[in-house]
C-alpha cells in the first residue's frame, strides 16, 4: 500500500483550515523535538566538562531522521496501552518527547551518557523516564515488541489485566541486515500478531557509508510474503506537487531511478549545483530543467528533501490506516540528519555540530541557544498539544500481583534406579501441577521445536499448547500418537519455529510481564545446549532489560557422544557463570535438578528476582549414588547446599585428595574415589551444582560482593584441605577457581577441543575426563 501524502493532507483527519492548523502545530512540535534531541547530544559532548577527554558520543543525524516520525506517533497516533521500541541511536528523541510530555525532569537533559543519567540507548531498567523496550543491540530491540505482543496476549488470555494496544518498533533500515529480524518475521506465531507495527527509517545510510543498493522493493516484498501489511511513504506533498506539473513525470522517474549515493550527493549541493545536476542527461533533462527553473532556491532545496518520512500529515494518515488484523510495516523514506547542516553526508553517523552550527540551527528553529531547554510558552497551541498528549497517554496503573510461592522441596522420596537430569525436568513440572497448582498455573514453557526431545512431552500433554484460538487436533483419535498436540488459548506451552533467537526473545518478554502488567509468569525455555551460543546475545539482552526466566540447555557436553563434535557444547558452563542477572546450575542427579529448578522458579517474577540457566544431560545415572539423607533435617541441609552451589558427596576418614565433579561426570569421580581408596589414597568427592554460586561466595569472602559465603566453610572447610582435582563435561577453567578457596594445588580436567563421535567411554577417554584420567591426575598430586 502506497499512501498519496498530498491527497491525504487534504482529506485525512479533518479538512481544510483545521487540518492545516493541526499540521502547523505538529510541525512546530517536531522542530522543538529536533532541537532538543540535537541539544541533548551537543551538551554531552561540547558543554559538559569532560576531564578524561574520551569521546562521549551520540547520534545527532540518526535522531534527526526520526524526529518527524516520532512526533507524529506520540502526538497523534499513540494510545495509552501502546508500547514502542525506539531505535537505539534515536534515544535523545525519546527523551526530548518525554520532556515535552512532562515525563522527564529538565535536570536530566544534561546527563546523556553520564553516570546515573540518560543511557546511551533506551533502557527500561536504567533510564529515569518511561522506556517501553530496551534497545541497543541491532535487531533485538526491533523484534522485542513481537514477543511483547505475544506475552501480552498470553497474560490477557490466562489472567486478564494486560489490556490491548499496539506494539511499535522504530528501526533503522540498516537493522534489516540483521538475521534476527528475518528469523522473527518468519516464525509461525508472528503473522497473527496484528497489533505489531514496524516503522522503518529508510534513510539509506549505515554507519560507514551510503548504502548503494538498499533494494526497498525487495524488502517490501519479503514482508508482504510473510503476511504483513506494507505501507510505503516515499515522497512528501511538495515533491508530489512538482510531480503533478508539466515535466513532473520525468522528475519522478529520474529520482526513482537514481541510486542512493547519487541522491545523497544531491542533498549536499547548493541550489545552483542542483539546477545543473538534477536534470541529468538524455531526453528528459530539458523538461526537468524547465520544471525547476521557476522555483526559488529555498523551494528547490526543500522539495528535494521532502520525503514521506518527514511529512507529518502523511505519517499521521499512515498510522491511521494500519490494519490491525495482521502485522504492519511502514517504510518511511527519510534523510539522515534531516534539518541539520550534516544532512545526507555519508559520514554523518557520529558527526557533531559545531557551536556556530548550533546557533544557526537555533535561529532557524526559533529557539534560544542560551536557554536550550525552554518549554513552549504557556497558552500556546504547541503547549496545549503537548499537555493533551500527556493526558491521552497516561497509562492506567496495574496492581502488582505477588508471584505464587514455589515449594523448596516436593517431599518426594529420593529417586532410585537409573535416570537423567533431563528426565527429571519433565517430572518436576508434572509434580508441580499436583503439589503446587498455583505456581504451576504461572509456568509457561517455550521450545524451538524440541519439546518431545527434551522430555517436555508429559507436561505438554497435561497443560496443552498455547494458541490464540483453539485448533483441531487431527491426531486425537490416533492410538499410536503419544504426544497430544492440543492447541488452545488455555495452553501453557508455546512452540516456536527452529530459531533460538526467537526463543530467548520471547522468554525475555514473558519474563517481564510482572513489571509491565503486574502479572508474574514463570517462563522456562528449553533448547539444545550446543545452540545456547546462537541465542547468547538476545538472551543476555533480555536479562539486561529485566526479563526473568529460566533457560534450560539440554542435552549438553561431549556426553552427547554419538552426535559428534558439532553438537557437543564446551563453553556453556562458564558462560553461565559470566552472565549477570542469572544463576547457573548443572546438577548431577534428579533430586538435585528438582531442588535447583524449584529454587530458580522461586526467584522469578519479582523486583529482586533473577534469571537462571540449567545445563542438563541425557546420560542415565544411578540415582542411589546421590545418597540423599533420610532424616528430614539432614535432607534439608543437603537441599540448602545443593541450591547454594555444592555438597560433599563422599567423605573419607583420612582424605589426601579432593575430587570436585559437576554434572554428568560425577559417576566417574565416584569410581575414581573407589579406585584411589583401593590404592591407599583417601579421596573426598564434592558434587558441584553451581560454579556460579561458589564463585560469588568466594568473591563475598574477599569483600567483593554481598552474597552469602557459608557454603565454602561447609563444603571446603580448612581442616579438610587437600590437593584438588576438578572435572566436568565442559571447559576445565570453569572450576579452576576452586583451588583459590584454600589455596591448594589443583589439576583441572575438562573439554577444551572439538569432540568426536563415539561411545561415552571412548569420548570421555579422548578428552581426559574418564575414570582413568581422574585417578592419574589425583596420583600426580599426592605421590
Amino acid at each position: 500500500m502506497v499512501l498519496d501524502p498530498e491527497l491525504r493532507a487534504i482529506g485525512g483527519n479533518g479538512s481544510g483550515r483545521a487540518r492545516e492548523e493541526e499540521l502547523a502545530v505538529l510541525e512546530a512540535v517536531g522542530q522543538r523535538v529536533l532541537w532538543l534531541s540535537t541539544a541533548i547530544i551537543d551538551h554531552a559532548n561540547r558543554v559538559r566538562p569532560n576531564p578524561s577527554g574520551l569521546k562521549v558520543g551520540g547520534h545527532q543525524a540518526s535522531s534527526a531522521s526520526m524526529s518527524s516520525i516520532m512526533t507524529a506517533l506520540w502526538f497523534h497516533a499513540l494510545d495509552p496501552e501502546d508500547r514502542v521500541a525506539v531505535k537505539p541511536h534515536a534515544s535523545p528523541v525519546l527523551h526530548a518527547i518525554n520532556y515535552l510530555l512532562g515525563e522527564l525532569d529538565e535536570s536530566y537533559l544534561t546527563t546523556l551518557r553520564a553516570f546515573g543519567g540518560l543511557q546511551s540507548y533506551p533502557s527500561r531498567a536504567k533510564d529515569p523516564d518511561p522506556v517501553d523496550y530496551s534497545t541497543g543491540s541491532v535487531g533485538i530491540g526491533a523484534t522485542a515488541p513481537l514477543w511483547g505482543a505475544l506475552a501480552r496476549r498470553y497474560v490477557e488470555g490466562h489472567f486478564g489485566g494486560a489490556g490491548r494496544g499496539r506494539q511499535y518498533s522504530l528501526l533503522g533500515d540498516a537493522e534489516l541486515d540483521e538475521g534476527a529480524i528475518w528469523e522473527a518475521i518468519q516464525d509461525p506465531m508472528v503473522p497473527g500478531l496484528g497489533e505489531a507495527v514496524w516503522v522503518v527509517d529508510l534513510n539509506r545510510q549505515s554507519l560507514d557509508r551510503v548504502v548503494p543498493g538498499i533494494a526497498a522493493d525487495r524488502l517490501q516484498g519479503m514482508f508482504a510474503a510473510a503476511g504483513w501489511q506494507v505501507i510505503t511513504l516515499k515522497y512528501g506533498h511538495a515533491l508530489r506537487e512538482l510531480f503533478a506539473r508539466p515535466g513532473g513525470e520525468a522528475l519522478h522517474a529520474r529520482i526513482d531511478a537514481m541510486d542512493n549515493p547519487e541522491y545523497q550527493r544531491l542533498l549536499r549541493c547548493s541550489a545552483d549545483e542542483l539546477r545543473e545536476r538534477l536534470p541529468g542527461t538524455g531526453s528528459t533533462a530539458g523538461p526537468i530543467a524547465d520544471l525547476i527553473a521557476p522555483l526559488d532556491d529555498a523551494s528547490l532545496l526543500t522539495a528535494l528533501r521532502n520525503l514521506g518520512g518527514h511529512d507529518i500529515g502523511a505519517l499521521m494518515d499512515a498510522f491511521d490506516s494500519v490494519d490491525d488484523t495482521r502485522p504492519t510495516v511502514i517504510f518511511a523514506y527519510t534523510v539522515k540528519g534531516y534539518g541539520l547542516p550534516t544532512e545526507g553526508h555519508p559520514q554523518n553517523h557520529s558527526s557533531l555540530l559545531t557551536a556556530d552550527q548550533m546557533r544557526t540551527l537555533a535561529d532557524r528553529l526559533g529557539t534560544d541557544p542560551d536557554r536550550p531547554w525552554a518549554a513552549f510558552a504557556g497558552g500556546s497551541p504547541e503547549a496545549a498539544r503537548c499537555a493533551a498528549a500527556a493526558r491521552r497517554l497516561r497509562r492506567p496503573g496495574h496492581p502488582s500481583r505477588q508471584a505464587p510461592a514455589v515449594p523448596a522441596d516436593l517431599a518426594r522420596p529420593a529417586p532410585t534406579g537409573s535416570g537423567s537430569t533431563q528426565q527429571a525436568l519433565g517430572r518436576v513440572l508434572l509434580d508441580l501441577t499436583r503439589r503446587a497448582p498455583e505456581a504451576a498455573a504461572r509456568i509457561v514453557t517455550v521450545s524451538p521445536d524440541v519439546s518431545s526431545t527434551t522430555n517436555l512431552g508429559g507436561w505438554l500433554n497435561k497443560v496443552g499448547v498455547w494458541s490464540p484460538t483453539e485448533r483441531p487436533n487431527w491426531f486425537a483419535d490416533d492410538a499410536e500418537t503419544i504426544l497430544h498436540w492440543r492447541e488452545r488459548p488455555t495452553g501453557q506451552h508455546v512452540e516456536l519455529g527452529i530459531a533460538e533467537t526467537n526463543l530467548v526473545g520471547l522468554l525475555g518478554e514473558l519474563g517481564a510481564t510482572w513489571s509491565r502488567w503486574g502479572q508474574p509468569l514463570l517462563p522456562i525455555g528449553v533448547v539444545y545446549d550446543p545452540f545456547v551460543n546462537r541465542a547468547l546475545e538476545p538472551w543476555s539482552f533480555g536479562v539486561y532489560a529485566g526479563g526473568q526466566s529460566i533457560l534450560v540447555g539440554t542435552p549438553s557436553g561431549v556426553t552427547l557422544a554419538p552426535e559428534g563434535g558439532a553438537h557437543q557444547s564446551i563453553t556453556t558452563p562458564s558462560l553461565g557463570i559470566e552472565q549477570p542477572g542469572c544463576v547457573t546450575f548443572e546438577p548431577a542427579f534428579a533430586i538435585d535438578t528438582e531442588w535447583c529448578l524449584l529454587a530458580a522458579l522461586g526467584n522469578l517474577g519479582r523486583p529482586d528476582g533473577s534469571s537462571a540457566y540449567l545445563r542438563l544431560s541425557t546420560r542415565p545415572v544411578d540415582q542411589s549414588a546421590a545418597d540423599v539423607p533420610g532424616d528430614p533435617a539432614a535432607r534439608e541441609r543437603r537441599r540448602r547446599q545443593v541450591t547454594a552451589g555444592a555438597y560433599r558427596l563422599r567423605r573419607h576418614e583420612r582424605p589426601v585428595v579432593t575430587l570436585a565433579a559437576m554434572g554428568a561426570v560425577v559417576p566417574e569421580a565416584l569410581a575414581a574415589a573407589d579406585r584411589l581408596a583401593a590404592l591407599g589414597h583417601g579421596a573426598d568427592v564434592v558434587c558441584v551444582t553451581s560454579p556460579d554460586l561458589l564463585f560469588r561466595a568466594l568473591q563475598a569472602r574477599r569483600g567483593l560482593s554481598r552474597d552469602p559465603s557459608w557454603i565454602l566453610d561447609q563444603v571446603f572447610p580448612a581442616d579438610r584441605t587437600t590437593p584438588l582435582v576438578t572435572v566436568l563435561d565442559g571447559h576445565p577453567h570453569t572450576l579452576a577457581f576452586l583451588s583459590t578457596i584454600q589455596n591448594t594445588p589443583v589439576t583441572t580436567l575438562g573439554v577444551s577441543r572439538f569432540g568426536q563421535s563415539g561411545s561415552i567411554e571412548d569420548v570421555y577417554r579422548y578428552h581426559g575426563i574418564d575414570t582413568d584420567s581422574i585417578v592419574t591426575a589425583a596420583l600426580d598430586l599426592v605421590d
Side-chain angles (χ1 to χ4, degrees), residues 463-479:
V463 302
V465 178
W466 181 82
S467 172
T469 58
E470 187 156 357
R471 298 175 180 173
N473 177 15
W474 296 107
F475 290 86
D477 58 350
D478 187 339

Side-chain angles (χ1 to χ4, degrees), residues 30 116 249 266 636:
E249 290 185 7
L266 293 178
E636 172 59 15

Side-chain angles (χ1 to χ4, degrees), residues 99-259:
Y99 170 62
L100 292 176
L101 294 175
E103 296 283 0
L104 180 67
D105 189 78
E106 180 181 320
S107 62
Y108 281 104
L109 299 180
T110 61
T111 67
L112 179 69
R113 302 190 173 202
F115 186 80
L118 301 176
Q119 299 299 297
S120 304
Y121 310 126
S123 170
R124 285 191 72 221
K126 297 181 179 180
D127 270 317
D129 53 335
V131 174
D132 293 331
Y133 289 97
S134 296
T135 60
S137 194
V138 173
I140 296 173
T143 58
L146 295 178
W147 313 124
L150 200 155
R152 185 205 63 76
R153 288 193 181 201
Y154 186 94
V155 168
E156 180 64 21
H158 283 76
F159 309 106
R164 302 184 62 81
R166 291 177 179 170
Q167 304 284 325
Y168 288 89
S169 292
L170 309 181
L171 62 155
D173 50 10
E175 285 196 80
L176 296 180
D177 291 343
E178 174 57 53
I181 295 284
W182 302 104
E183 287 187 336
I185 288 170
Q186 296 180 76
D187 191 272
M189 281 290 181
V190 169
L193 300 176
E195 60 267 52
V197 181
W198 286 16
V199 184
V200 179
D201 173 13
L202 199 67
N203 60 48
R204 294 165 286 179
Q205 286 186 237
S206 61
L207 190 151
D208 290 329
R209 61 174 182 163
V210 176
V211 180
I214 198 69
D217 290 344
R218 176 174 58 83
L219 294 172
Q220 293 160 6
M222 293 167 71
F223 276 95
W228 289 51
Q229 177 191 19
V230 178
I231 298 174
T232 301
L233 296 178
K234 189 167 187 179
Y235 299 118
H237 71 279
L239 263 179
R240 295 189 67 87
E241 196 174 276
L242 279 180
F243 295 159
R245 299 178 185 178
E249 290 185 7
L251 177 62
H252 194 170
R254 163 85 170 118
I255 297 178
D256 270 351
M258 70 174 58
D259 60 19

Side-chain angles (χ1 to χ4, degrees), residues 386-746:
C386 291
R391 290 191 299 271
R392 187 185 77 248
L393 296 177
R394 192 166 293 120
R395 286 177 178 160
H398 293 287
S400 295
R401 180 186 179 96
Q402 188 173 358
V406 177
D409 189 345
L410 296 179
R412 288 171 51 94
T416 58
S418 181
S420 71
T421 54
Q422 180 178 287
Q423 290 172 335
L425 168 68
R427 193 191 68 237
V428 172
L429 293 178
L430 283 175
D431 284 349
L432 277 169
T433 63
R434 295 184 289 267
R435 297 172 183 253
E438 287 189 9
R442 295 275 167 173
I443 292 175
V444 51
T445 55
V446 187
S447 164
D449 198 36
V450 293
S451 302
S452 58
T453 54
T454 53
N455 283 86
L456 288 184
W459 162 260
L460 194 148
N461 286 344
K462 175 74 174 179
V463 302
V465 178
W466 181 82
S467 172
T469 58
E470 187 156 357
R471 298 175 180 173
N473 177 15
W474 296 107
F475 290 86
D477 58 350
D478 187 339
E480 296 182 3
T481 297
I482 299 176
L483 188 63
H484 302 296
W485 207 261
R486 297 191 298 271
E487 298 180 84
R488 55 197 179 191
T490 57
Q492 290 180 241
H493 173 80
V494 181
E495 187 82 358
L496 299 176
I498 306 175
E500 288 76 15
T501 56
N502 292 346
L503 168 85
V504 294
L506 178 54
L507 272 185
E509 291 306 316
L510 291 169
T513 60
W514 67 273
S515 60
R516 291 198 191 281
W517 301 290
Q519 289 286 3
L521 296 177
L522 308 179
I524 302 174
V526 181
V527 62
Y528 288 169
D529 195 67
F531 306 140
V532 165
N533 282 318
R534 289 186 187 174
L536 186 56
E537 185 190 8
W539 173 50
S540 177
F541 201 81
V543 175
Y544 165 80
Q548 299 172 9
S549 63
I550 298 172
L551 181 65
V552 177
T554 182
S556 63
V558 300
T559 301
L560 192 60
E563 296 289 344
H567 280 181
Q568 296 172 1
S569 53
I570 295 173
T571 62
T572 48
S574 57
L575 291 176
I577 297 177
E578 295 155 12
Q579 175 59 49
C582 178
V583 178
T584 185
F585 294 102
E586 186 167 347
F589 300 102
I591 190 66
D592 296 352
T593 305
E594 174 186 312
W595 289 335
C596 292
L597 180 60
L598 293 176
L601 287 169
N603 275 329
L604 299 180
R606 59 194 221 193
D608 61 343
S610 67
S611 294
Y613 163 53
L614 272 67
R615 191 173 187 255
L616 305 183
S617 173
T618 51
R619 184 186 185 185
V621 171
D622 178 9
Q623 297 300 308
S624 65
D627 196 21
V628 180
D631 179 80
R635 176 185 171 113
E636 172 59 15
R637 181 174 185 269
R638 166 70 68 83
R639 185 200 65 78
R640 290 182 67 246
Q641 291 179 336
V642 166
T643 58
Y647 59 95
R648 196 167 290 269
L649 181 58
R650 182 78 61 85
R651 182 184 178 92
H652 197 274
E653 291 182 2
R654 293 181 297 278
V656 296
V657 67
T658 299
L659 311 179
M662 185 168 77
V665 297
V666 167
E668 276 64 34
L670 291 171
D674 290 339
R675 286 174 51 183
L676 287 167
L679 294 172
H681 300 291
D684 282 353
V685 178
V686 171
C687 182
V688 176
T689 54
S690 175
D692 183 8
L693 293 177
L694 293 181
F695 184 77
R696 296 186 196 192
L698 185 58
Q699 292 290 85
R701 174 181 282 183
R702 294 167 176 164
L704 299 176
S705 79
R706 297 181 179 179
D707 293 283
S709 61
W710 59 265
I711 188 65
L712 302 181
D713 296 326
Q714 291 193 5
V715 180
F716 297 97
D719 62 352
R720 295 187 70 84
T721 299
T722 63
L724 184 66
V725 177
T726 66
V727 58
L728 75 154
D729 184 358
H731 199 282
H733 90 274
T734 306
L735 298 179
F737 73 90
L738 295 180
S739 67
T740 66
I741 296 174
Q742 300 293 352
N743 295 317
T744 57
V746 65

